[in-house]
Each structure stands twice: as structure tokens, then as C-alpha cells.
Amino acid sequence: MFFDLFGIFTVIYPVWLGWVMMITAAGGLFVVVRRDGTDGLMDGAGHMLALILGSAAILFALNRLSIGLAPANYYDRLAAIPRLEVMAALGALAAFLALFATWRPSRAGVVGAALPLFVIGLAAQALAPTAAYFVVLPLVLTTFALLARYAAVQIGNAALVGGYMLSLGHQLMQGVGPTLSFAVALPLALAVLSTLPLWPGMEARKARAIAVAALLGAASVSLWVLLDAPAASRAVYSDTKQ
């Protein structure tokens, strides 16, 4: 099992170590619940499930808006990827603010938010262990940060996990963004999880205003892609490759 970390070096570890990390994460989450109780556990799980499904639905709708009713031209969609990334970022921000802005999670609430991702991590480790690292490692790192209670550790975890998920989201948009932009819902959820131990909450009115502005901005970018002239890089034979 190996992956590149920020283009700096390659991380290599055996597949069985993924199971050790999942067991470690499970143990750490159990310790938090044992110490703090279960108050907020289901609330956290509900918030995270709503984020995953809600952000995927928003991104799917925005992407469909950018395509319109006619068949999409392959080369136009490739040329539109930078704008589609902006669309996805704004849509993700809107989904996050709508669901998490005013919530100040307890430690048990953070554990609850981790549970849906833990289930996804178990499935990934069992079915695709060489590709499960991007779920497994954020889970175990966030568990350590939650146990540590030190702000410096939690900030470092949020920066590391959030930065990697931002990079992964960019790569996904480069690879499948023109058709499957909702694929970034999972990196978004993992990035959000890493910030929850630090999240102070926001004033509801301000959060709603920013969320609406972000969603309108995302829709505007989608319409820009839809209504824009054919890309200059569009191949002369592109009408035969839809």
C-alpha cells in the first residue's frame, strides 16, 4: 500500500496495518464515548450523513445545470474543469454551512460524525484495501486529535487532513469532475470531520447569508459553463465525440 503525500514523499505501509489503524480508531472513539457519554452521538451521525448525501445531491444538480439538456461535448467539458472546480467548491461550502455552521459539537458529537465515515472505512479496507488509505488515515488522525485535547494537535490535524482532502478533491475534479462532480462529497466529509474538534459555530443569520451567496455563486458558474461559447481548444472533429 503506498500513496504520494503532497508531492513531497511516498508513504508506504502493508495492507494489514490498515486494519490496525481501523481498530485503533475504533478503540479511541470508544474511549471518548466512555469518558463523555453518548449525548450528541446520534446528532453527529445525522449531521455527517446529511452532509454526504446533501453535498452529493447539490453537486449533482449543479453539474447537470452546467450540462443542460443537450448531450455534453467531451472537449468543452474538459476545458470547463477549472470553472467546475469553483462550482464544486462553492456548492460544498453551501452544504457545509447549511448543516454545520450553527452546530457546536460535543466530543461525543464528533464521534457520532465519525461513525458513517468509519463504516465507509471498514467497507473500503475490506473491499479495496490499497485504496482505503484516504479514509482510514483521516479517521485515525482525527481520533488521536480528539483524544489529545490540545488545540495545537487539533489544528495540525485539520491542516494535514484538510490539505490532503483539498488536493484529492482537485484530483477527482480533474479526473471525473466533468461528469461525476459529486465524487468530492467524501473528501469534503473527511475534511469537515477533521475540523469538528475545533469548530466554534457561527451565528445563524450570517451562516445562512454566506450559504445562500455560495449556492447562488455556484449556480452562476454552472450557467456560465452552460451558456459559454464552445471552447477554443475544442477539436475540429469533436462533434463526433460527445
Side-chain angles (χ1 to χ4, degrees):
M1 165 58 238
F2 63 92
F3 65 94
D4 172 78
L5 185 64
F6 299 123
I8 300 173
F9 56 86
T10 301
V11 178
I12 303 173
Y13 64 84
V15 168
W16 60 263
L17 190 58
W19 286 111
V20 173
M21 288 189 282
M22 289 298 295
I23 293 170
T24 301
L29 295 174
F30 176 78
V31 168
V32 173
V33 172
R34 185 71 179 270
R35 290 176 180 173
D36 291 50
T38 59
D39 187 34
L41 193 69
M42 296 309 296
D43 193 23
H47 272 78
M48 186 56 72
L49 280 173
L51 178 67
I52 295 171
L53 298 176
S55 62
I58 288 172
L59 293 173
F60 176 81
L62 289 168
N63 200 50
R64 286 306 311 172
L65 178 61
S66 74
I67 294 173
L69 299 177
N73 181 277
Y74 174 78
Y75 297 97
D76 274 341
R77 297 301 289 174
L78 289 182
I81 285 176
R83 286 174 289 172
L84 294 175
E85 289 193 71
V86 174
M87 174 204 76
L90 291 171
L93 176 62
F96 167 70
L97 290 175
L99 292 165
F100 282 86
T102 60
W103 186 47
R104 298 186 64 181
S106 63
R107 281 160 46 86
V110 178
V111 173
L115 290 180
L117 295 170
F118 185 83
V119 172
I120 293 172
L122 283 177
Q125 184 64 30
L127 300 175
T130 58
Y133 70 92
F134 79 95
V135 181
V136 173
L137 282 170
L139 281 170
V140 74
L141 289 174
T142 301
T143 300
F144 285 147
L146 193 59
L147 287 168
R149 293 185 183 232
Y150 293 108
V153 175
Q154 294 172 349
I155 291 170
N157 175 66
L160 180 62
V161 174
Y164 190 82
M165 291 304 126
L166 185 63
S167 172
L168 179 61
H170 168 66
Q171 293 169 28
L172 285 171
M173 288 300 295
Q174 290 281 310
V176 300
T179 53
L180 301 173
S181 59
F182 58 84
V184 302
L186 184 54
L188 168 65
L190 290 162
V192 167
L193 178 67
S194 72
T195 67
L196 288 183
L198 293 163
W199 183 246
M202 285 180 65
E203 193 269 323
R205 185 175 178 181
K206 182 186 296 184
R208 282 196 299 269
I210 298 173
V212 170
L215 190 57
L216 289 175
S220 298
V221 175
S222 295
L223 289 172
W224 179 18
V225 172
L226 173 65
L227 301 174
D228 199 15
S233 58
R234 185 171 173 171
V236 293
Y237 55 82
S238 63
D239 288 340
T240 65
K241 187 173 181 59
Q242 300 291 336

